[in-house]
Amino acid sequence: MTMEIKSNIEISVIRSINKKINSTMKLSELLNSIMDAAKELLHSEGSSILLSDWATGDLIFNVVVGDKGDIILGQKVPKGKGIAGTVAETLEPIIVNDAQNDPRLYKEIDNKSEFVTKNLLAIPMVMMDELVGVLEIVNSIDRDEFNDIDLQKAQYVSDQAALAITNRRLLDESNKRIVELSTLYEVSQAISFASHDEQILQIIVKALTRAMDVKRASILLYDDKLNELRIEAAEGLPLSIEKDYIIDLDNSISGFVFKNGYPMIVADIVEIPEEFRDSNRNYSTESFISIPILYKNNTMGILNVTDKNDNSKFDLDDLRLLTTISTQIAETYNNFLNEKNLEIQKRLAEEIDIAAQIQRKILPHIPKAIQSHNLAAYNKPAKVVGGDFYDFFPFDNSKYGVLMADISGKGIPAALFMGAARNIIRAQSRIHTTPVKLLSDSNNLLYAESELGMFLTAFYAVIDPNNNLITYASAGHNNQILIKKNKKKALKLKTKGTALGVFNNIQFTEKIVLYDPGDILLLFTDGVVEALSDGTLDIEMGEKKLCNIAYKYIHDEPVKLINNLKQKLNSIKLDEDYRDDFTIFVIKF
């Protein structure tokens, strides 16, 4: 540059440019300052910097200084179009002193801005052989045309602008990475400290708004049972929008993003369809991001973020960061739900275990002997708790009653109904000693108590040792068996009767059978004969096997028969869905 160019004013301007390049201004502020200096240095009506879009090669008006600058800010010049596009392709500067008659002039920009370009300088901004953009100086003042000296001045500004843009972009990129890492760290910290907290999503949202330096953020979750998208956690939303606020799936941006499963980044609300615009939207900026929260390829909710505190617009870097965070949210929330479910299951298992202990204590202690009779019983629920139970009622006149009952169903419902049924039958055993009367009155009480279709089958017998009599009645229970020692045969004890709790005021039939010393009475539920049927669930086959085992132990104590059945039960492989409660009560006369 010649001494002629370096007037005192020009040197002052150049020093100002150099000073600004080393400043900590934001890129937009930095370039505006350089453009102001360029306009002053070259005595022009306007100046602009068009940055190169690395993805498309188009040029974008990024900084414009002049009366109509705001109008064309952000406008694109397609690659190869206009004078700036030509400069971008050739990397050679151009002086145009009769712009309106130059066919290369991209007149769409003049038309939009109502600005008449008379002459201009266009200089490529290159850094390390890469095109950064194009500098344009438009309409010289106090002279008719630009000359080579103006070109030298512009070239200097161009070089400095290229350096400033590159350095600033590198710095901004570095700062963005720092922000990303800081945001991810803050969210991760929030997650780690909130892993067992019911308000985990709210804690994440607070950390996110703080780290992203935004005013508003919300997490919406989808309820597939109700087909609703509702706000689960939010920060900075209007008071009219509270937690659990339901989002319209058909007429909202969140609903649109949820249904399509793709993120939406909006620089200006006017860019989206009118039906999705919220007329009550009272946010400080019109830029926002809405991202689907995906878990195992299923959209479980939406993450919305808007209103940066510096009023800037969201960009693709923000989108990438928030997409990563949305993945964290999905993983964390599902882990939290899994942990919560495990805790619930653990508590439930503990409660069921306590229920099983209580149930085992409910089953009465059976004496090994009463009168000249030996007794033994065994109960094993199909699940932790069950619906089978037996009972023993000694009477003052040396008689005693025995009960075998089977609740419909298995597990907790059966166990709960079992408790009520046992208490009712026990109460009736203090009033009635005859099987028919006990079953009849118990049925009426159970019918009043029964809910959700619960019922039970039962076999009740009164043993009279003085007369060797068994008086019995059945309420829909499977046949019980009396093994005759001397005749080596099995008598099936059966009477007519309906299960307890199904109908009110039903009639039962009572029968009497004689027993001999050495005979064995087998009281059992159908789970016993099903288990002994080799997986076929053939009741007759199971009954035959049970009788054969009883014959084998006809000379032994009942406990040996019970122990043999225990071993067989443990060796039987039966699908859990088909396994029933296993209960047996053995009396040897």
Side-chain angles (χ1 to χ4, degrees):
M1 190 175 291
T2 64
M3 291 300 297
E4 182 181 354
I5 296 173
K6 292 183 179 178
S7 64
N8 290 336
I9 295 177
E10 290 162 354
I11 292 173
S12 174
V13 171
I14 291 170
R15 286 176 177 170
S16 174
I17 291 173
N18 286 332
K19 183 178 180 181
K20 292 179 190 303
I21 288 174
N22 296 318
S23 74
T24 57
M25 290 181 181
K26 292 181 180 179
L27 180 60
S28 58
E29 296 171 348
L30 178 63
L31 296 181
N32 274 317
S33 297
I34 293 174
M35 289 299 91
D36 282 333
K39 180 183 173 184
E40 182 181 351
L41 179 64
L42 283 109
H43 302 287
S44 63
E45 291 182 13
S47 61
S48 61
I49 287 180
L50 295 83
L51 293 183
S52 176
D53 184 334
W54 291 336
T56 64
D58 295 337
L59 295 171
I60 302 172
F61 281 95
N62 217 259
V63 182
V64 182
V65 177
D67 293 340
K68 305 291 184 177
D70 290 341
I71 297 174
I72 62 171
L73 191 64
Q75 293 295 321
K76 289 185 179 181
V77 175
K79 184 178 181 180
K81 289 278 188 177
I83 295 170
T86 302
V87 170
E89 281 194 328
T90 63
L91 299 182
E92 294 293 335
I94 294 177
I95 299 177
V96 177
N97 282 317
D98 186 8
Q100 291 301 310
N101 293 317
D102 193 307
R104 297 171 297 180
L105 182 68
Y106 191 54
K107 291 189 176 181
E108 287 187 27
I109 299 299
D110 278 14
N111 294 336
K112 285 182 179 179
S113 64
E114 298 179 358
F115 184 89
V116 178
T117 302
K118 295 180 294 184
N119 56 7
L120 63 85
L121 289 172
I123 306 97
M125 296 183 296
V126 179
M127 189 69 183
M128 299 178 67
D129 297 326
E130 291 289 334
L131 179 69
V132 177
V134 173
L135 168 67
E136 283 192 341
I137 311 294
V138 182
N139 291 355
S140 57
I141 298 175
D142 299 331
R143 59 196 190 285
D144 294 332
E145 59 184 29
F146 289 113
N147 55 36
D148 290 340
I149 295 176
D150 293 321
L151 182 60
Q152 291 181 50
K153 294 179 182 179
Q155 187 67 62
Y156 180 80
V157 175
S158 170
D159 292 343
Q160 303 310 305
L163 178 62
I165 293 169
T166 302
N167 287 343
R168 192 68 221 186
R169 277 180 167 174
L170 291 173
L171 182 59
D172 286 347
E173 192 66 26
S174 175
N175 288 337
K176 281 185 178 180
R177 295 290 81 76
I178 292 172
V179 169
E180 283 188 15
L181 292 173
S182 298
T183 304
L184 291 173
Y185 176 76
E186 284 211 35
V187 171
S188 298
Q189 285 291 99
I191 288 171
S192 65
F193 286 114
S195 58
H196 299 288
D197 197 305
E198 289 283 350
Q199 300 298 319
I200 186 168
L201 294 181
Q202 188 61 44
I203 292 171
I204 291 173
V205 166
K206 282 192 175 184
L208 178 62
T209 53
R210 182 173 60 251
M212 290 284 295
D213 196 27
V214 297
K215 295 174 184 172
R216 307 170 195 264
S218 60
I219 294 174
L220 288 61
L221 294 182
Y222 178 67
D223 187 328
D224 57 350
K225 293 181 180 177
L226 299 176
N227 190 31
E228 290 178 350
L229 192 63
R230 60 177 64 234
I231 297 176
E232 286 293 330
E235 189 74 9
L237 292 187
L239 294 176
S240 58
I241 301 178
E242 301 176 351
K243 186 180 181 295
D244 294 332
Y245 182 88
I246 298 174
I247 306 300
D248 190 336
L249 281 171
D250 298 317
N251 297 292
S252 65
I253 294 168
S254 295
F256 178 80
V257 171
F258 176 81
K259 287 181 176 181
N260 287 276
Y262 294 104
M264 180 182 287
I265 176 170
V266 176
D268 194 324
I269 196 73
V270 298
E271 296 177 7
I272 66 172
E274 190 171 351
E275 62 266 26
F276 293 143
R277 299 180 202 168
D278 185 355
S279 58
N280 298 318
R281 196 176 189 274
N282 188 29
Y283 297 166
S284 60
T285 71
E286 297 300 329
S287 178
F288 64 86
I289 289 181
S290 186
I291 296 175
I293 300 174
L294 301 173
Y295 184 72
K296 294 183 177 178
N297 295 323
N298 292 319
T299 305
M300 58 175 283
I302 299 294
L303 171 62
N304 291 325
V305 179
T306 189
D307 288 359
K308 286 189 175 184
N309 283 316
D310 62 2
N311 294 323
S312 62
K313 296 180 179 181
F314 290 98
D315 56 25
L316 292 176
D317 291 319
D318 296 317
L319 179 64
R320 187 184 68 251
L321 172 60
L322 290 170
T323 300
T324 301
I325 291 174
S326 74
T327 302
Q328 279 187 304
I329 292 172
E331 292 286 345
T332 300
Y333 190 65
N334 277 280
N335 288 342
F336 170 72
L337 290 180
N338 290 336
E339 287 182 14
K340 189 175 179 181
N341 288 335
L342 287 174
E343 289 178 5
I344 292 172
Q345 291 172 12
K346 183 180 178 182
R347 287 198 300 270
L348 181 60
E350 291 172 351
E351 290 171 3
I352 291 174
D353 187 56
I354 292 171
Q357 293 179 40
I358 293 171
Q359 192 175 56
R360 284 193 291 271
K361 290 179 179 179
I362 285 176
L363 292 174
H365 171 70
I366 302 298
K368 291 183 179 180
I370 181 169
Q371 303 292 340
S372 59
H373 304 164
N374 295 321
L375 292 73
Y378 175 66
N379 167 263
K380 183 176 179 58
K383 297 186 177 181
V384 180
V385 292
D388 282 6
F389 68 100
Y390 56 82
D391 216 335
F392 172 81
F393 311 109
F395 301 130
D396 293 337
N397 57 0
S398 76
K399 295 179 181 179
Y400 62 93
V402 287
L403 174 77
M404 180 60 62
D406 186 354
I407 306 290
S408 62
K410 293 178 283 187
I412 295 293
L416 293 173
F417 192 59
M418 168 195 157
R422 174 185 176 275
N423 290 336
I424 287 173
I425 294 173
R426 276 212 152 192
Q428 292 303 307
S429 73
R430 297 187 183 98
I431 303 170
H432 308 294
T433 57
T434 62
V436 164
K437 191 62 177 171
L438 178 139
L439 292 179
S440 178
D441 285 4
S442 295
N443 172 71
N444 292 339
L445 292 169
L446 284 166
Y447 178 77
E449 289 287 328
S450 179
E451 294 183 2
L452 302 176
M454 298 294 291
F455 62 89
L456 75 149
T457 64
F459 181 92
Y460 182 69
V462 174
I463 313 297
D464 180 359
N466 294 328
N467 298 299
N468 290 11
L469 293 177
I470 302 172
T471 305
Y472 64 92
S474 177
H477 200 71
N478 54 288
N479 297 332
Q480 306 295 271
I481 297 175
L482 177 63
I483 301 293
K484 302 297 291 181
K485 177 184 177 183
N486 295 329
K487 295 182 181 181
K488 289 284 183 105
K489 70 175 184 178
L491 296 179
K492 291 186 179 181
L493 308 183
K494 56 184 177 181
T495 62
K496 292 182 179 180
T498 305
L500 305 182
V502 180
F503 302 107
N504 199 19
N505 296 322
I506 57 176
Q507 299 298 315
F508 296 93
T509 302
E510 191 171 275
K511 288 187 179 182
I512 297 175
V513 65
L514 285 167
Y515 68 83
D516 297 309
D519 290 350
I520 295 176
L521 178 61
L522 300 175
L523 305 180
F524 54 92
T525 58
D526 53 9
V528 173
V529 288
E530 286 174 359
L532 294 173
S533 67
D534 295 331
T536 65
L537 303 183
D538 186 329
I539 300 299
E540 288 189 10
M541 179 190 293
E543 286 179 349
K544 287 180 181 179
K545 285 202 171 186
L546 179 60
C547 292
N548 290 335
I549 295 170
Y551 292 142
K552 182 179 178 181
Y553 290 93
I554 197 75
H555 300 291
D556 297 312
E557 299 298 321
V559 68
K560 290 189 177 181
L561 171 58
I562 293 290
N563 288 335
N564 180 271
L565 289 172
K566 284 184 185 180
Q567 292 176 1
K568 287 194 177 299
L569 177 63
N570 292 330
S571 65
I572 292 169
K573 293 182 179 179
L574 192 62
D575 192 291
E576 288 295 325
D577 292 334
Y578 297 103
R579 188 182 294 275
D580 201 353
D581 298 334
F582 186 104
T583 307
I584 188 165
F585 192 150
V586 180
I587 303 171
K588 184 176 181 182
F589 300 112

